[in-house]
Amino acid sequence: MKKINVQTLLKKKSERQKITMLTAYDYPFARMVDEAGIDIVLVGDSLAMVVQGHENTLPVTMDEMVYHTKMAKRGVTDALLVGDMPFMSYQAGLSDALKNAGRFLKEGGAEAVKIEGGLEVLPVVQALSSAEIPVMSHIGLTPQAIHRMGGFKVQGRTEETANRLIEEAKGLEDAGAFAIVLEAVPVDLAKRITESVSVPTLGIGAGPYVDGQVLVLYDLLGIFERFLPKFAKRYAHMKEDGIQAIRQFRDEVEKGIFPGADQSFK
Ligand code: KIV
């Protein structure tokens, strides 16, 4: 596969080729995603939940995000690597936003950052884009706003909120965003947004009429089992398989089967 960059993604949209994005938070999983030919590796702040075990994404820090981005970077050769700006890394002002986004590129080796939010973050998207930091936007259900939204809920169900999301997508494109994640929005609205902008839309819980799809890798692989969002699909059962392998190891040790001759030195 050829190295993916921001221009490749724009070309894919214009040629109506679907784009794929998955999260990865360290070297081995980033390697798997990259080898499988996925276009974008996102070091998502979802790691707060699926790696760190928190209830939501708010606790993960900038230092932790940079640490995970560095690990993922070593596993990526072809995919575009995107670092997810964590809660309070850009909300307090443009200077913070520039410094923190810069860390993803300078220290983490990312090639772009992702930022949650619509009209309220337009100045941030503009400032980062002007500083040559490519920005992926994220609207609809934005998990960093969980306390305002009152939970992980579908967004844009009324005419007013749907129109606002369309306005936000257009504004983000004008501000310089090179792609827009649409999370948990009705299928028809996702289609309208996708047709309203010339940058690619990447859906998670946004139906099929978007330019690409994104999932949290641990949902897809069946590693994170605390809950499975309605929009996610499990393609493997790695947690169950892992427990089975670990049980077998325990059994073999207890029965004196492991280590055998093959695992022993003469
Ligand atoms: O943090 C994350 O993994 C994300 C994706 C779900 C888009 O933001």
Side-chain angles (χ1 to χ4, degrees), residues 74-123:
R74 296 181 200 117
V76 171
T77 49
D78 293 332
L80 181 83
L81 184 66
V82 180
D84 206 2
M85 299 279 284
F87 181 56
M88 290 317 291
S89 66
Y90 55 96
Q91 288 88 343
L94 290 184
S95 161
D96 271 10
L98 279 160
K99 253 188 274 166
N100 287 322
R103 288 190 65 193
F104 272 108
L105 273 67
K106 280 178 86 82
E107 298 174 43
E111 294 148 316
V113 297
K114 179 168 82 59
I115 294 188
E116 291 184 13
L119 300 181
E120 72 285 4
V121 299
L122 290 184

Side-chain angles (χ1 to χ4, degrees), residues 21 23 25 42 44-46 84 114 138 181 183 204 214 216:
M21 175 160 92
T23 62
Y25 317 106
L42 170 68
D45 65 354
S46 52
D84 206 2
K114 179 168 82 59
H138 181 161
V181 171
E183 179 163 351
I204 176 160
V214 46
V216 169

Side-chain angles (χ1 to χ4, degrees), residues 9 38 193 212:
L9 301 174
I38 295 297
I193 295 173

Side-chain angles (χ1 to χ4, degrees), residues 9 36-37 67 75 125 135 142 164 197 233 251 258-259:
L9 301 174
Y67 171 69
V125 176
V135 178
T142 46
R164 178 167 167 117
V197 292
K233 182 171 173 183
D251 264 21
F258 178 86

